[in-house]
Amino acid sequence: MLLQAFAISPLLMVGIGAMLLMMAEAFSKVRGGLALGAAAVCFAGVACAAGVWMYGVETIPGIDAFSPWLRVDRFSLFFDALLCLGAGLSCLMAGGYLPEHNLDRGEFYSLLLLSTFGAMILSAAGDVLTLFLGLETMSLGVYCLAAFRRASARSSEGALKYFLLGSFAAALLLYGFALLYGVTGHTDLQGIGDAMAKGNIRNPMAIMGLVLILVGLAFKVSAVPFHMWTPDAYEGAPTPATNFMAVAVKGAAFAMMLRVLLTAFGDPRSASWASGWPPALAWIAVITMTVANLVAGRQESVKRMLAYSSVAHAGYILVGMVATMHSATQASAGVLFYLLTYTVSTAGAFGALILCGRRGAEAVTYEDLAGIGRRHPAAALPFAFFLLSLAGVPPTAGFFGKWFVFRSAMEGGFYWLTIIAFINSVIGAYYYLRVLVFMYMREPAAGAPVATPMRSGYVTAALILSAVLVIALGLTPTKSLSVVFQAAAIFGG
Amino acid sequence: MLNLLLLLDIVPGPANAATPVPETPQGPWMGFAYFGFCAVLAVVGAIATVASPNPIRGAMGLLLMIISIAGLFLALHAQFIAAIQVIVYAGAIVVLFLFVIMLLGSDAQTPSDQRGRIPRFGAAALFAGLGLAALTLLGRTMAKPKLPGDVGSDFGSIDSIGKVLFTDMLVPFEISSALLIVAVVGAIAVARGKHGELAEKGALNK
């Protein structure tokens, strides 16, 4: 009993921590410590996941007590740690951003933690019922975080778009699951997978269900052409919330995608090029990368550029997803490693963007950043560093993330897909380097508003933590690679 | 209310496993009449919802349809679904509709439809055709649906649903509490936010 509670301790930590913070926010007059408390809860969640991992989650007796609702395995522990890391970094950023921009309302942290709780449920769900509950818990929290700046019309617009399209996507997903239940009589992913392996995939109702599920999943990972909400929602939300959406929500959505596609549709027929999901996913990946990179290059707002860049990264990850049809373990390990590097690089970039601006002198457009590298080198340097990692320049983490995903695509024989992805990452380098050009080689026009960096221990702490992780993942990827391989081993084959 | 209906013998009681055939204690005619009554009311309500130009009447038609369908659920021994239908749809959703109608003013009318007849009838024909195509496709390719085997006499009753909810389905049930909390906290965060920020803006302007 105690060991079972230990096995789900990351979940309990975040869930109970969210409740306690909510109480603390409601009954205490002290404002300052909430960000620290929320970040501590998240990092404690990381520590719990690491503890269960090292104890050996397979050896815990009665670990099946939660199945099929929740699968407590190395895959879900990896995502517990990853999502808690992303959430913890967002909390630290919020500790600096919210007071600076006069948004310091305590509900932010309880919403963020509850949303993280939903994301962790989503990554552990082994049944469509818990999957849907986790998805909605996560999404409802994020809709409200996106609408957090109520005085800003842009924030409300973005949040409303996100809410409507997100609900629509959830409904499509649910419809797909309902059709699958009609075909197979199962709601647990393993049961659906067993029924599909018996040839049920040829049933038109099952195909319809698969198509609807793919569309719903593509909405949630914001792949083109289902990405329309992304730039508006990302731009309107407060930047720490944007970071949470880009990092944790996207990570959990990919966890859901891996589990659904590889467990429920992992049989040789459904995962084949001739009669399954891989070609659809491959084309979505191609359109996503190309459109997002081309549009991102034309943005004037840096935050919007980062939003499109996160769409483009979803495209690279989808390339890795396609490769899972040949080697489920190796390719999904590549996807997990990419998610890890993407998480730390993106969190760092958003943190640096926060650090570059203060109230009334925010860093919004490229012009705002002109010359900041010379005026405030300490604020510009981390931004440049994380952008290089996002662009995939060695020896940063981003390089190895792309390397492993592209390599697994090559080994799967998808040369054309790899070439398109490679060309796209070159296009992507253009708009990341454009920020560097503005920061270091331009001077602001006379009298034009420029960004002034803020000072915040919280944001600095988040930046240092992400920078250490980016360098560590870039220089010594071996250790983390063995971790992602163990996490991906649950898919077998 | 359900127990009252059962006591009055208007509604068929839970089917007895030993005697599966009779729809109601009074014989098959009573059950048929009950079904017909509910079904006709549901169709009338649905037509009133779509066809009525007055939004309040539309909402009332919706209410009628929802309650009639709850009656149909009762005839299928799905007491729980019937109760939920009344509480959630009739109780919450129709009231929400009425609130919106009241906020807009009950005489709010949509501006008269400017589209010509061809697009309108074209759309109707298109969707009817698509629906027909989907139905024939399903009818041709699907195997005959297997009827579910003998379900227990208390299948779908409030007791059995409660038992399943608190034993087998305890994990999702507990997770749904997180969903409710996040909805409440989120609603408060969004609603309270406007107040605080606008008040502060006003203070700055002074």
Side-chain angles (χ1 to χ4, degrees), chain A residues 209-233:
Chain A
L210 175 58
V211 170
L212 287 170
I213 288 172
L214 276 181
V215 171
L217 290 173
F219 256 113
K220 287 295 167 187
V221 302
S222 68
V224 180
F226 311 109
H227 69 295
M228 299 313 243
W229 54 272
T230 314
D232 291 318

Side-chain angles (χ1 to χ4, degrees), chain A residues 70-351:
Chain A
L70 294 176
R71 302 265 179 211
V72 186
D73 47 28
R74 292 200 179 251
F75 182 80
S76 67
L77 284 176
F78 173 81
F79 270 100
D80 285 346
L82 182 76
L83 299 171
C84 283
L85 174 70
L89 290 173
S90 307
C91 289
L92 284 178
M93 290 174 205
Y97 181 91
L98 296 184
E100 175 73 28
H101 295 266
N102 209 5
L103 290 166
D104 201 9
R105 305 202 305 275
E107 300 99 32
F108 189 92
Y109 301 104
S110 18
L111 275 177
L112 196 135
L113 285 181
L114 284 169
S115 194
T116 314
F117 180 78
M120 290 158 78
I121 295 280
L122 182 57
S123 69
D127 188 286
V128 294
L129 193 57
T130 35
L131 190 143
F132 191 72
L133 283 173
L135 180 70
E136 283 303 290
T137 308
M138 175 183 84
S139 306
L140 275 180
V142 177
Y143 300 146
C144 299
L145 288 181
F148 207 71
R149 292 196 300 170
R150 273 302 302 278
S152 143
R154 180 162 279 181
S155 173
S156 305
E157 182 202 340
L160 197 63
K161 270 185 191 165
Y162 188 23
F163 174 62
L164 290 177
L165 289 178
S167 318
F168 191 60
L172 286 182
L173 206 60
L174 203 57
Y175 196 2
F177 288 142
L179 289 180
L180 280 188
Y181 176 66
V183 175
T184 63
H186 284 279
T187 57
D188 61 309
L189 295 174
Q190 193 59 53
I192 295 175
D194 292 345
M196 284 295 147
K198 287 181 196 140
N200 267 318
I201 187 67
R202 277 173 298 180
N203 188 325
M205 212 151 99
I207 296 174
M208 196 94 100
L210 175 58
V211 170
L212 287 170
I213 288 172
L214 276 181
V215 171
L217 290 173
F219 256 113
K220 287 295 167 187
V221 302
S222 68
V224 180
F226 311 109
H227 69 295
M228 299 313 243
W229 54 272
T230 314
D232 291 318
Y234 278 30
E235 194 182 18
T239 313
T242 312
N243 176 55
F244 183 74
M245 288 152 80
V247 166
V249 173
K250 193 161 280 195
F254 272 111
M256 160 171 81
M257 196 176 218
L258 277 170
R259 251 199 222 271
V260 169
L261 289 186
L262 293 183
T263 314
F265 297 100
D267 60 291
R269 197 193 296 272
S270 322
S272 73
W273 190 264
S275 63
W277 46 264
L281 221 52
W283 283 112
I284 293 178
V286 169
I287 310 173
T288 303
M289 290 184 293
T290 315
V291 172
N293 276 317
L294 292 179
V295 179
R298 303 181 48 179
Q299 297 306 312
E300 281 311 309
S301 152
V302 179
K303 203 168 165 186
R304 229 176 148 80
M305 179 275 279
L306 285 174
Y308 276 108
S309 128
S310 89
V311 177
H313 282 281
Y316 304 137
I317 299 174
L318 285 175
V319 171
M321 291 287 312
V322 175
T324 57
M325 69 175 270
H326 285 309
S327 53
T329 304
Q330 203 195 349
S332 43
V335 169
L336 297 190
F337 190 75
Y338 197 103
L339 280 173
L340 189 59
T341 62
Y342 165 79
T343 297
V344 288
S345 316
T346 308
F350 278 114

Side-chain angles (χ1 to χ4, degrees), chain A residues 19 22 69-70 102-103 105 107 111 114 117 121 129-130 133 136-137 140-141 144 148-151 204-205 359, chain B residues 138 141-142 168-169 171-172 175-176 178-179 181-183 185-186 189-194 197-198 200-201:
Chain A
M19 300 297 143
M22 198 165 71
W69 309 117
L70 294 176
N102 209 5
L103 290 166
R105 305 202 305 275
E107 300 99 32
L111 275 177
L114 284 169
F117 180 78
I121 295 280
L129 193 57
T130 35
L133 283 173
E136 283 303 290
T137 308
L140 275 180
C144 299
F148 207 71
R149 292 196 300 170
R150 273 302 302 278
M205 212 151 99
R359 193 164 181 216
Chain B
L138 280 180
T141 49
M142 278 228 321
D168 298 349
M169 303 224 166
V171 175
I175 295 172
S176 61
L179 179 62
I181 287 182
V182 83
V185 176
V190 172
R192 208 176 73 149
K194 188 164 190 180
E197 273 176 72
L198 290 186
E200 184 237 354
K201 266 195 174 172

Side-chain angles (χ1 to χ4, degrees), chain A residues 411-454:
Chain A
E411 282 171 1
F414 298 104
Y415 296 107
W416 59 280
L417 200 56
T418 319
I419 292 170
I420 295 177
F422 184 75
I423 295 173
N424 266 297
S425 52
V426 175
I427 303 177
Y430 159 73
Y431 53 82
Y432 294 127
L433 295 180
R434 194 165 157 231
V435 180
L436 266 66
V437 168
F438 268 90
M439 287 200 303
Y440 287 101
M441 298 174 194
R442 293 276 176 91
E443 283 303 323
V450 288
T452 323
M454 65 182 287

Side-chain angles (χ1 to χ4, degrees), chain B residues 106-175:
Chain B
S106 62
D107 50 350
Q109 300 269 337
T110 46
S112 60
D113 206 332
Q114 297 293 329
R115 287 168 296 178
R117 304 185 88 177
I118 297 171
R120 257 198 270 176
F121 287 106
L126 180 72
F127 278 99
L130 279 178
L132 212 61
L135 274 182
T136 37
L137 194 72
L138 280 180
R140 279 190 180 192
T141 49
M142 278 228 321
K144 267 215 154 160
K146 274 178 286 180
L147 288 175
D150 190 14
V151 294
S153 61
D154 60 344
F155 182 79
S157 71
I158 298 174
D159 291 5
S160 62
I161 286 182
K163 253 178 219 145
V164 171
L165 207 57
F166 286 101
T167 53
D168 298 349
M169 303 224 166
L170 187 63
V171 175
F173 182 73
E174 291 296 334
I175 295 172

